[in-house]
Amino acid sequence: MKEYLSIGEVSKLKGVSIKSLRYYDQLNILKPAYINEQSGYRYYTLDQMVVLDVIIMCVDLGIPLKNFSNYADEQGRLRLDKILEDGQQIAMLKARKIQSALSRMERLSGSIRDYQAYKHNKGIYQRQIGKRNMLTAPWHGNPEDNKLFMKNVSELYLLSLELGLTSLYQQGLIYFYRQDAVEKYVFVEIMEESGDLRVISLPAREYSCTLLPSSQIEETAEIFGYDRAELAGSYVIDVDLYDANVEGDTYPVELQLALPFSG
């Protein structure tokens, strides 16, 4: 029996329970190569370990084992090439999702570090902020209308999924001051650049900033000490920040003013 592995040996070798191996037998996806009629012991060949590896991979990827019949040929033999082809596609999709999650967590951690570094600042301070991409929608509401704001933000998150864009954890309002008008947008930050006209890319630059307990973007001129006319060509961003400890359902706000706006 040296050419065979017992079910116990296979269980230890591959880290699969004996119960699972019996279940694979019931599903007809990995039947023992030999069963001792007297003892009932089940044995497998080394060649079958490749099939078991594929089964384990499919379990890890979430491919239902009951679907394995879809991968059998007319003689009932498993088509490993088809399983691997589908497995690769599922694995790549999961890898993209994991990379997206890592990017979002990294950006959120950066936001927390930023807030901890500036949370004790009083008044106006200067800081450098890197390039940002923002998926936007026109804003026509009151900045203090949290219900309307969250409705708009939720719609933008859904839109980012439709466009295949990776949304991050930064959200807020952005006002562009023109000579005779103010263009107002609600935004969620995204990782990628895009040719979609609803995506605004802001260059890395220095901003004049101040921390506020709630949105006061409508009072930007007064807060930073400018006349309204002096803001023409500028833009201001009102963005939620996150601290290491979450308390309640409100977040501090940073008002970021860029003078002048070039774009």
Side-chain angles (χ1 to χ4, degrees):
M1 301 296 294
K2 292 183 179 179
E3 66 271 26
Y4 291 110
L5 295 170
S6 70
I7 191 171
E9 290 173 327
V10 172
S11 175
K12 291 180 180 179
L13 179 64
K14 294 297 182 179
V16 179
S17 70
I18 292 177
K19 182 179 180 180
S20 293
L21 291 170
R22 292 181 182 275
Y23 178 59
Y24 302 155
D25 181 10
Q26 293 174 6
L27 292 177
N28 293 317
I29 60 177
L30 183 64
K31 300 192 74 65
Y34 169 74
I35 299 178
N36 187 300
E37 294 182 359
Q38 295 179 340
S39 65
Y41 290 165
R42 300 158 184 253
Y43 297 90
Y44 299 83
T45 66
L46 286 174
D47 291 341
Q48 288 182 294
M49 297 303 97
V50 175
V51 177
L52 180 55
D53 285 339
V54 173
I55 292 173
I56 294 171
M57 175 199 72
C58 290
V59 171
D60 290 340
L61 291 175
I63 299 176
L65 295 181
K66 62 183 180 181
N67 291 351
F68 262 49
S69 59
N70 299 332
Y71 297 105
D73 62 16
E74 294 178 354
Q75 286 73 42
R77 297 171 300 187
L78 285 178
R79 290 291 305 274
L80 292 183
D81 56 341
K82 297 297 183 182
I83 297 174
L84 292 171
E85 181 179 334
D86 287 355
Q88 286 174 333
Q89 293 180 358
I90 294 173
M92 286 188 290
L93 178 60
K94 291 201 171 199
R96 286 196 293 270
K97 288 183 177 180
I98 291 172
Q99 185 56 53
S100 173
L102 288 173
S103 297
R104 296 177 73 186
M105 287 188 287
E106 181 180 356
R107 187 61 63 91
L108 180 56
S109 295
S111 176
I112 292 173
R113 289 193 299 270
D114 286 345
Y115 180 60
Q116 291 178 327
Y118 294 99
K119 65 189 292 185
H120 300 297
N121 285 8
K122 305 296 182 182
I124 310 299
Y125 55 92
Q126 305 294 313
R127 77 180 184 97
Q128 187 75 22
I129 300 177
K131 181 178 180 180
R132 290 175 284 184
N133 302 305
M134 299 173 172
L135 180 61
T136 67
W139 172 256
H140 303 293
N142 185 322
E144 296 181 2
D145 188 342
N146 292 328
K147 185 175 181 180
L148 178 62
F149 174 76
M150 291 310 302
K151 177 179 181 294
N152 279 252
V153 165
S154 297
E155 290 173 351
L156 285 174
Y157 278 117
L158 292 175
L159 178 60
S160 70
L161 292 176
E162 293 178 14
L163 298 176
L165 301 172
T166 305
S167 58
L168 302 172
Y169 291 103
Q170 292 288 319
Q171 58 197 34
L173 300 172
I174 179 168
Y175 285 14
F176 293 96
Y177 293 95
R178 307 307 184 189
Q179 195 65 41
D180 300 315
V182 182
E183 296 177 9
K184 303 178 180 181
Y185 300 91
V186 59
F187 74 86
V188 295
E189 190 175 352
I190 57 174
M191 187 166 63
E192 306 90 350
E193 294 186 22
S194 173
D196 193 291
L197 296 178
R198 291 165 291 189
V199 175
I200 296 174
S201 294
L202 301 178
R205 61 162 299 158
E206 187 175 68
Y207 290 80
S208 295
C209 303
T210 188
L211 291 174
L212 301 167
S214 61
S215 177
Q216 297 180 38
I217 193 170
E218 295 285 344
E219 291 80 45
T220 295
E222 294 85 348
I223 290 173
F224 288 96
Y226 292 100
D227 293 329
R228 168 61 185 83
E230 293 180 288
L231 291 180
S234 305
Y235 64 91
V236 64
I237 304 167
D238 175 296
V239 61
D240 290 341
L241 296 180
Y242 303 94
D243 203 350
N245 300 313
V246 178
E247 298 179 4
D249 57 357
T250 59
Y251 300 96
V253 171
E254 186 175 53
L255 207 56
Q256 305 164 351
L257 177 63
L259 265 173
F261 169 62
S262 59

